[in-house]
Amino acid sequence: MSKTILRLLEERGAGKTICPSEVARAVAGSETRSAWEPLMEEAREAAFSLVDAGQIVVTQKGRVIDGRTAKGPIRLRLK
């Protein structure tokens, strides 16, 4: 899942963000909620691993935050 996050971010371009749900959808290969929603926790955990590795940051309302304690929607961005 980490490779999918990095691929999607690189495709999106410098300074742009993605939602963890985009990662889950890409991995599921489906836009059907019942297909991708079970993958959301795995997508978020993969994102947090990439944060710990210094490769990406988690943002909310444009600000870098600690995604593990965030309430509400988060976005992912290359560091």
Side-chain angles (χ1 to χ4, degrees):
M1 190 134 342
S2 295
K3 289 181 182 182
T4 302
I5 292 170
L6 295 173
R7 178 180 55 81
L8 290 172
L9 285 169
E10 288 172 10
E11 288 172 0
R12 186 68 46 98
K16 303 292 183 179
T17 64
I18 62 170
C19 179
S21 67
E22 292 176 65
V23 179
R25 285 177 173 95
V27 171
S30 175
E31 290 293 320
T32 305
R33 189 176 192 107
S34 62
W36 60 262
E37 193 170 43
L39 300 173
M40 282 296 295
E41 188 61 33
E42 185 179 347
R44 290 172 68 95
E45 287 304 318
F48 301 149
S49 292
L50 289 170
V51 168
D52 293 343
Q55 293 183 277
I56 70 169
V57 294
V58 175
T59 66
Q60 192 172 55
K61 297 181 182 178
R63 296 187 192 114
V64 175
I65 60 156
D66 178 355
R68 288 181 174 96
T69 59
K71 303 284 188 225
I74 61 172
R75 305 284 297 176
L76 312 175
R77 185 180 74 208
L78 287 173
K79 193 163 188 182

